[in-house]
Amino acid sequence: MKKNQIITAEITDITNEGNGVCRFDGMAVFVPETALGDTAEIKIVKVLKNYAFGIVNKIIIPSPDRIVSDCPLFPKCGGCSFRHISYESELKIKEKFIFDSFTRLGKLNPQFLPITGCDSSDRYRNKAQYPVSQINGEPICGFFAKRSHRIIPGSDCRLLPEVFSHIAQTVTEYMKTNHILPYNETEGSGLIRHIYIRQAPAAGEIMVCLIVKRSCADKLHELCTVLSKKFPEIKTIVMNVNPDNTNVILGKKTINLLGNGKITDILCGNNISIAPEAFYQINSPQAERLYRKAEEFCQLKGNETLIDLYCGAGTIGLSMASKIKKLIGVEIIPQAVENAKENAVRSSIHNAEFICADAGQAAAKLALKGIKPDIVILDPPRKGCDSSAIDAVSKMSPDKIIMISCNPATAARDCALFEQKGYVTRKVQPFDLFPRTVHVETVCLLSKLHADQHIEIELQMDELDLTATESKATYEEIKDYVLEHTGIESQQFIYRTGKRKMRNY
Ligand code: SAH
């Protein structure tokens, strides 16, 4: 295969990044914006040793999954990956991604529950961070093109409330009239870096955060008046100062320009106050469903001690606080911890304690103190849990662990690490919180194998009369083997085969 070669092939798979895959000359060719079942004329743009990249010249036979994109920014803007296929096919791709992550990467064998999709795949995001730049001397905002820092102008993203676009445009128009320059990341010049807008869907309260290179409150006061007059739903406007040459959006210092710097939402019946620095789920209706599923997995009886690690503004733990004895939340961002404490008070919750610390370090301290939680919920960022957190949680030996994650690959890795500590990944429930994008959320139930209820055996492969390969040995096969070799009728077991990965049932 050569660069610029034109091939005709059928798309037979879709990667986790949303790229179509076809095979040609024994090589996998990755082709963006294609759909499973497309037959296309493809131009090869890059050839590596074992695979190649192509772009579509012409679709010859369109996939039945195809739909016409309704967004003028797609596919130039890097936000969406699935605007060209139906939502049902997108959900199937996401389910497969999760299944592959847990079975192939994690070598796990949980029960996979069907994905919970969104009622609406349009305008579901409650948060936007528009980068600001300049084109032909005029300030513009938009979204970064895929894998680049080039801004595609256009603020009306179909994933966001329409009002966000009007607010962002009001800011850029004000900048133009008042000669306020956008930040230029190459030269380090200019002032306004990002327009960050967040809405609390319950009452529609909006926060606007202007991220600036240096403190310039005097330049922004009149803009605050303009914005609050035009958009009465804006409850607070803050200025965040980020002087660094960095990709990290928020700086350390935030100054209130209007209101108290927070907006309030209702989530799972609780009053939730959120600061700009605090993490908040971007799709509130789906987050509520996700939290309810986590609660269902917990099977609460009323006397539990529950630890909520990576708790953000405390939302998950607080949603269950009235049904348990004690809640301990741990979060590293101080403003989020402040929100969590305030949120407990606002919702008259008196059995909650929040600690501002690294999850692993706090869990280790709690373990040393002799805290014995019944349930630990972990909801880490995309990179997953630190191994210190997994070690410390295992030491506390909770009966149940609930792993919530927006990255199936690291979730599978972390569940596999918990399996090495004597836990079993029982159930995996995919949740789509991010329609049209490649992202997907998962909630998993892990439970402890109790020493008095399980045995650990070393399987001799040649003694096993398996119908499938070792990695696919069924529960019944292992159960028969255990019974035959030990005389014990076991319901739960871990088995090891030589150096191969341990597996749990
Ligand atoms: N459970 C919350 C937040 C989940 S997002 C919710 O559903 O809203 C992950 C959270 O982990 C973020 O709030 C982030 O600030 C926090 N975090 C990241 N690294 C951490 C660490 N090492 N220790 C504790 N919290 C951390």
Side-chain angles (χ1 to χ4, degrees):
M1 204 180 308
K2 286 198 301 278
K3 190 176 170 182
N4 294 331
Q5 185 177 342
I6 307 289
I7 65 167
T8 297
E10 183 185 336
I11 301 297
T12 51
D13 205 355
I14 304 282
T15 66
N16 306 335
E17 290 92 41
N19 290 326
V21 189
C22 62
R23 296 202 77 82
F24 195 83
D25 267 356
M27 258 205 203
V29 183
F30 297 97
V31 195
E33 291 115 42
T34 49
L36 206 59
D38 276 344
T39 297
E41 192 180 280
I42 294 157
K43 181 175 169 184
I44 302 299
V45 290
K46 193 171 182 179
V47 183
L48 298 168
K49 199 168 157 225
N50 298 319
Y51 55 94
F53 293 95
I55 51 171
V56 171
N57 254 2
K58 193 166 67 184
I59 300 283
I60 298 169
I61 306 169
S63 153
D65 296 344
R66 275 197 174 266
I67 56 166
V68 178
S69 162
D70 53 359
C71 175
L73 300 180
F74 178 81
K76 288 181 289 226
C77 145
C80 291
S81 295
F82 297 123
R83 289 208 93 86
H84 62 303
I85 59 170
S86 69
Y87 188 46
E88 291 71 38
S89 13
E90 176 187 334
L91 288 177
K92 278 193 204 134
I93 292 170
K94 291 181 169 178
E95 257 182 339
K96 182 171 175 290
F97 174 25
I98 289 173
F99 179 83
D100 287 350
S101 300
F102 279 79
T103 54
R104 287 199 204 161
L105 290 178
K107 307 256 182 297
L108 302 169
N109 192 17
Q111 179 191 0
F112 290 95
L113 299 166
I115 190 164
T116 305
C118 279
D119 294 337
S120 167
S121 53
D122 249 9
R123 307 210 179 270
Y124 61 83
R125 276 189 72 97
N126 58 32
K127 173 181 173 182
Q129 286 169 321
Y130 299 94
V132 185
S133 182
Q134 187 155 277
I135 292 185
N136 301 330
E138 290 203 358
I140 55 118
C141 67
F143 298 97
F144 287 130
K146 255 183 204 153
R147 285 182 287 279
S148 102
H149 266 206
R150 188 168 46 87
I151 293 178
I152 306 291
S155 49
D156 188 26
C157 162
R158 296 297 303 257
L159 306 183
L160 297 169
E162 256 177 302
V163 64
F164 281 22
S165 165
H166 301 147
I167 294 173
Q169 274 170 18
T170 306
V171 175
T172 49
E173 274 158 25
Y174 181 89
M175 288 170 66
K176 185 178 161 193
T177 320
N178 293 277
H179 312 289
I180 300 176
L181 291 179
Y183 172 65
N184 179 322
E185 64 179 356
T186 328
E187 292 165 10
S189 60
L191 199 57
I192 311 265
R193 300 172 69 121
H194 276 86
I195 305 166
Y196 162 19
I197 308 174
R198 197 178 228 177
Q199 187 185 48
E205 290 186 8
I206 288 179
M207 173 210 79
V208 178
C209 173
L210 299 163
I211 298 143
V212 297
K213 164 106 168 106
R214 58 178 187 282
S215 198
C216 57
D218 51 328
K219 284 203 160 89
L220 302 178
H221 279 309
E222 197 195 326
L223 171 61
C224 291
T225 315
V226 172
L227 282 174
S228 60
K229 264 202 191 133
K230 197 164 167 189
F231 306 99
E233 58 273 56
I234 296 181
K235 283 284 164 303
T236 191
I237 303 177
V238 300
M239 175 181 74
N240 174 277
V241 186
N242 186 354
D244 299 332
N245 186 2
T246 165
N247 282 345
V248 178
I249 296 181
L250 284 182
K252 291 198 176 73
K253 199 162 102 185
T254 306
I255 296 157
N256 293 350
L257 303 177
L258 180 107
N260 67 359
K262 289 177 268 190
I263 46 172
T264 308
D265 200 16
I266 309 276
L267 199 74
C268 296
N270 286 328
N271 229 297
I272 303 293
S273 167
I274 354 158
E277 297 87 351
F279 176 90
Y280 193 61
Q281 294 287 356
I282 55 97
N283 183 337
S284 307
Q286 280 300 86
E288 283 195 334
R289 286 181 176 171
L290 175 83
Y291 293 176
R292 301 263 184 251
K293 181 50 93 176
E295 182 181 326
E296 185 192 313
F297 281 171
C298 288
Q299 299 266 306
L300 301 174
K301 296 195 176 61
N303 55 354
E304 290 88 352
T305 297
L306 187 152
I307 298 185
D308 180 7
L309 292 182
Y310 307 93
C311 72
T315 44
I316 299 181
L318 290 175
S319 74
M320 301 180 202
S322 65
K323 295 166 192 153
I324 57 174
K325 190 168 89 192
K326 170 90 187 152
L327 166 66
I328 304 172
V330 178
E331 162 62 45
I332 206 159
I333 302 283
Q335 293 89 342
V337 177
E338 281 313 305
N339 287 164
K341 289 178 180 166
E342 184 187 339
N343 293 336
V345 175
R346 281 168 163 273
S347 299
S348 308
I349 292 168
H350 306 294
N351 58 346
E353 176 192 334
F354 292 96
I355 302 168
C356 185
D358 166 73
Q361 285 175 10
K365 272 193 191 158
L366 292 169
L368 270 180
K369 267 192 185 169
I371 304 278
K372 292 260 169 239
D374 303 279
I375 301 165
V376 175
I377 298 179
L378 299 108
D379 183 9
R382 286 189 64 72
K383 71 178 167 76
C385 300
D386 287 331
S387 57
S388 63
I390 293 178
D391 286 347
V393 169
S394 309
K395 278 202 188 104
M396 289 191 282
S397 198
D399 275 342
K400 291 194 187 86
I401 293 173
I402 311 290
M403 175 73 73
I404 302 177
S405 168
C406 58
N407 184 342
T410 54
R413 178 201 70 195
D414 292 345
C415 287
L417 289 173
F418 272 121
E419 295 228 344
Q420 288 177 13
K421 309 266 181 198
Y423 283 85
V424 189
T425 314
R426 303 263 177 214
K427 291 181 184 178
V428 169
Q429 163 78 66
F431 265 90
D432 191 23
L433 268 67
F434 319 103
R436 302 308 186 204
T437 77
V438 285
H439 302 291
V440 61
E441 192 91 7
T442 322
V443 52
C444 315
L445 167 67
L446 294 91
S447 65
K448 192 164 171 56
L449 289 168
H450 287 285
D452 54 348
Q453 288 164 20
H454 87 272
I455 54 168
E456 199 163 315
I457 56 160
E458 186 108 358
L459 287 187
Q460 299 304 319
M461 287 309 290
D462 45 358
E463 289 177 17
L464 249 180
D465 182 20
L466 295 179
T467 51
T469 59
E470 173 268 328
S471 64
K472 285 183 188 148
T474 66
Y475 176 79
E476 288 307 322
E477 285 167 337
I478 304 289
K479 200 169 150 186
D480 287 350
Y481 179 92
V482 174
L483 182 62
E484 198 180 307
H485 285 75
T486 64
I488 299 172
E489 195 150 358
S490 174
Q491 294 305 317
Q492 297 186 333
F493 33 74
I494 297 176
Y495 72 89
R496 293 176 202 278
T497 52
K499 285 192 189 129
R500 295 222 201 163
K501 248 196 147 69
M502 181 182 68
R503 290 171 63 83
N504 290 325
Y505 275 108

